[in-house]
Amino acid sequence: MIAPRRRADLALVDPATVADRATYGVPTALAVGIDNVVVGGVAVLAGGELTGATPGAAARPTARPS
């Protein structure tokens, strides 16, 4: 549930236009149809442009109990 004062990662996607533009030659090309992405309450993609923000942390594998 999205609620005030709660952290969330959100991606606003237009299913009618979403498409991957990355290729082997240009692997970092941004997708189309994804205009806004918020990570932990911080915009990382706004209006289809990267903001330069890098919130969050990498997910690291943990050992499984035997």
Side-chain angles (χ1 to χ4, degrees), residues 18-32:
V18 70
D20 185 8
R21 295 186 319 177
T23 64
Y24 284 107
V26 186
T28 58
L30 296 176
V32 293

Side-chain angles (χ1 to χ4, degrees), residues 28-49:
T28 58
L30 296 176
V32 293
I34 303 173
D35 293 327
N36 298 288
V37 176
V38 178
V39 176
V42 178
V44 296
L45 186 73
E49 300 290 327

Side-chain angles (χ1 to χ4, degrees), residues 1-19:
M1 172 167 53
I2 302 169
R5 296 176 299 282
R6 304 289 294 181
R7 287 188 170 217
D9 297 343
L10 305 171
L12 302 178
V13 178
D14 180 351
T17 61
V18 70

